[in-house]
Amino acid sequence: PRFRTTAGGALVKYMVDLRKRLDDRGGGATSAADLHATRIAAKRLRYLLEPVERDIARGAWLIDQLKRLQDLLGGLTDAHELGAELRRAAELDQPVGIAAATNVLETDVTRFLTTLRADWSTAGVELEKEVGAAIRQLQPTRPGPTTDRRRPARRRSRLPA
């Protein structure tokens, strides 16, 4: 019960953080730092849900959605890093192929961002609803009044008969 109460509180905190990040600028911010922070927010939520996945009606769905989001954000973060490397290489000696690689990368980034905006700009609402349901399912059940239905033991008298 104590873990479930603590997990429920943490789930609320992490879901609020993820929802805010997904809602920012119509589907998530696009800077490398913001994308990485959003990915970490999804990862925190997922890691907290994984141990209790079987106790939640749509636990597998939630985990799958968070993994998909993490993969998408990871792709964008990697693209930002690769773009920075390509720019550094281009500044050094302009090798052949850097411009073509940069164009391919920009196309991928555009596709990733389109997916992020289309699939995830409103997903925060559904994720929040499902996490709310998960929190309710994790709430420890309060035991009702305990009544001992067994017959009370008879006391034996210590007086001589």
Side-chain angles (χ1 to χ4, degrees):
R2 187 171 173 191
F3 170 77
R4 288 170 173 258
T5 301
T6 303
L11 283 169
V12 169
K13 176 184 172 186
Y14 294 151
M15 186 61 240
V16 167
D17 182 38
L18 180 59
R19 168 94 188 268
K20 180 184 176 297
R21 292 178 184 286
L22 289 172
D23 287 348
D24 283 350
R25 291 187 243 163
T30 57
S31 76
D34 288 339
L35 291 167
H36 181 69
T38 304
R39 184 171 188 262
I40 295 302
K43 186 181 286 194
R44 284 184 179 137
L45 189 58
R46 184 184 125 213
Y47 286 176
L48 190 56
L49 284 166
E50 282 180 336
V52 294
E53 175 183 352
R54 292 184 179 138
D55 298 331
I56 301 169
R58 294 193 65 194
W61 179 87
L62 272 169
I63 299 298
D64 182 58
Q65 294 301 305
L66 292 167
K67 282 181 183 178
R68 286 183 53 231
L69 178 59
Q70 277 181 256
D71 289 346
L72 177 62
L73 293 167
L76 279 163
T77 302
D78 292 348
H80 274 285
E81 292 298 317
L82 182 56
E85 288 298 318
L86 288 172
R87 284 188 293 281
R88 279 191 283 279
E91 289 171 3
L92 293 176
D93 57 5
Q94 297 289 335
V96 176
I98 294 252
T102 302
N103 288 338
V104 169
L105 181 63
E106 287 174 3
T107 300
D108 284 348
V109 167
T110 300
R111 183 175 44 84
F112 280 138
L113 287 173
T114 300
T115 301
L116 181 63
R117 287 186 181 110
D119 294 353
W120 295 98
S121 63
T122 58
V125 175
E126 186 174 1
L127 284 172
E128 188 173 40
K129 182 182 107 185
E130 291 299 327
V131 168
I135 291 167
R136 287 188 296 280
Q137 292 169 41
L138 289 175
Q139 293 300 315
T141 56
R142 297 181 189 257
T146 57
T147 56
D148 191 356
R149 297 183 190 265
R150 295 177 290 158
R151 296 177 85 189
R154 285 189 160 169
R155 292 186 84 183
R156 294 186 185 192
S157 172
R158 294 189 178 187
L159 299 174

